[in-house]
Amino acid sequence: MKKKVAIQGIAGSYHDIAAHNYFEGEEIEIIPCNTFREVITTIKKDPSILGLMAIENTIAGSLLQNHELIRESGLNIIGEYKLRISHSLVALPGTTIHEVTEINSHPIALMQCGDFLDTIPHAKIVEKEDTALSARWIAENQLKGHAAICGKLAAQIYGLEVLAEGIETNKRNFTRFLAIADRWTADEILRGVERDKASLVFALPHTAGSLSKVLSVLSFYDMNLTKIQSLPIIGREWEYLFYIDLTFDDFLRYKQALEAIRPLTKDLKILGEYTNGRQSV
């Protein structure tokens, strides 16, 4: 049966690429959404639909709003995929770099290609809402002199020519995506799956050493803390939510660690227990 997967973006976007890579070998139908919030809404309307959302980038950092969207939604994380991001400069066929007068893309993609953009100072840089959307807009409107920064797949889909590829400043540019699902759907998908990673969120009492106590307990139980991200709790000054990712070899020991930190935390919530994701080359 074909899986339906909601993503932020359109065909050729990095979310589209990540979805096809994550569900490699399976037939999927992409449901494009304009925003990450729309991804959540789409899944809630139809629990059979899965979702894929970017959560962090090795250069730009965390997408803070997506941490909160997942926590508030009640949806579960069922997996992850780490995609190597390689940007290309694309334009209408026959265009040369010297003829490019305007470059369009998502602000993060533009930021990641700063060194390359410095080599073409004659081009105006204009921020757009999406990488692939920028490519489609140029193709649909036959905009001569315009170029987009996006993935090569978008150029292929929209009939554009690649003027330069691998233009990102840092070649170790990866985005981590989370696969999410309705709680009941998640239970069904993960039944029998070996899980060695978990994403948790909790608050802490406003007392000295509260965070270090939690971290000490996790260390005692041999939990490997792969990420920690704090976000302020709106309406509660100087109090924070802590989002953490753990990897572990022993699921039972992980569960014991969870029970050990529960009395030290407030509002502890498991966002997902899943398999440590693979990384594209």
Side-chain angles (χ1 to χ4, degrees):
M1 185 177 174
K2 184 185 289 188
K3 283 188 169 75
K4 293 182 178 180
V5 184
I7 64 167
Q8 185 276 319
I10 60 171
S13 66
Y14 291 111
H15 273 85
D16 180 28
I17 297 168
H20 280 91
N21 288 359
Y22 179 79
F23 295 102
E24 188 177 11
E26 300 184 62
E27 193 177 357
I28 66 171
E29 177 189 339
I30 293 295
I31 301 175
C33 300
N34 292 322
T35 64
F36 290 115
R37 189 171 292 278
E38 188 181 332
V39 171
I40 299 290
T41 304
T42 299
I43 299 170
K44 287 194 160 191
K45 285 179 181 175
D46 183 352
S48 69
I49 295 174
L50 308 177
L52 200 79
M53 292 175 62
I55 198 69
E56 63 178 322
N57 176 266
T58 51
I59 297 172
S62 289
L63 281 77
L64 300 181
Q65 77 276 17
N66 286 0
H67 286 84
E68 279 292 85
L69 281 174
I70 293 172
R71 181 185 68 85
E72 292 169 354
S73 71
L75 300 177
N76 278 24
I77 299 168
I78 59 170
E80 65 177 1
Y81 183 76
K82 299 152 190 168
L83 178 68
R84 162 81 161 85
I85 303 296
S86 182
H87 294 304
S88 295
L89 184 72
V90 308
L92 293 175
T95 305
T96 67
I97 286 184
H98 301 294
E99 295 170 332
V100 172
T101 57
E102 183 172 309
I103 298 174
N104 310 126
S105 195
H106 189 279
I108 289 180
L110 293 170
M111 180 269 290
Q112 291 174 348
C113 300
D115 286 359
F116 173 80
L117 293 174
D118 286 344
T119 67
I120 41 176
H122 60 276
K124 179 183 177 184
I125 310 302
V126 179
E127 294 183 357
K128 297 287 184 182
E129 58 185 306
D130 187 61
T131 54
L133 272 174
S134 300
R136 189 178 74 177
W137 178 65
I138 290 169
E140 287 180 345
N141 295 283
Q142 290 293 292
L143 296 174
K144 294 181 178 179
H146 282 244
I149 290 177
C150 58
K152 284 197 295 184
L153 179 61
Q156 294 168 12
I157 290 173
Y158 303 113
L160 299 178
E161 187 175 316
V162 175
L163 307 185
E165 58 183 287
I167 61 173
E168 62 280 358
T169 301
N170 190 319
K171 305 306 176 186
R172 301 299 298 167
N173 183 7
F174 287 86
T175 294
R176 177 173 167 244
F177 296 83
L178 296 178
I180 55 175
D182 171 82
R183 184 161 58 94
W184 303 110
T185 304
D187 287 345
E188 189 176 320
I189 291 173
L190 293 172
R191 190 174 291 122
V193 173
E194 186 177 334
R195 287 168 269 185
D196 57 4
K197 188 167 186 177
S199 294
L200 315 173
V201 60
F202 52 80
L204 290 171
H206 203 42
T207 56
S210 56
L211 178 58
S212 64
K213 288 174 186 174
V214 171
L215 298 181
S216 294
V217 171
L218 293 174
S219 175
F220 174 80
Y221 281 93
D222 300 319
M223 298 296 104
N224 180 29
L225 187 71
T226 60
K227 179 180 178 177
I228 183 166
Q229 178 76 55
S230 64
L231 284 177
I233 301 174
I234 296 172
R236 287 157 60 179
E237 296 83 359
W238 319 122
E239 290 190 51
Y240 299 86
L241 284 171
F242 292 89
Y243 290 83
I244 67 171
D245 289 338
L246 302 171
T247 59
F248 44 85
D249 297 322
D250 187 327
F251 192 74
L252 177 59
R253 195 157 174 81
Y254 152 70
K255 285 296 189 181
Q256 292 171 338
L258 214 57
E259 291 310 307
I261 66 168
R262 199 176 291 277
L264 304 174
T265 64
K266 297 191 293 184
D267 307 320
L268 176 64
K269 185 176 183 180
I270 302 169
L271 299 176
E273 295 165 345
Y274 48 97
T275 303
N276 198 1
R278 57 195 173 92
Q279 181 168 295
S280 63
V281 178

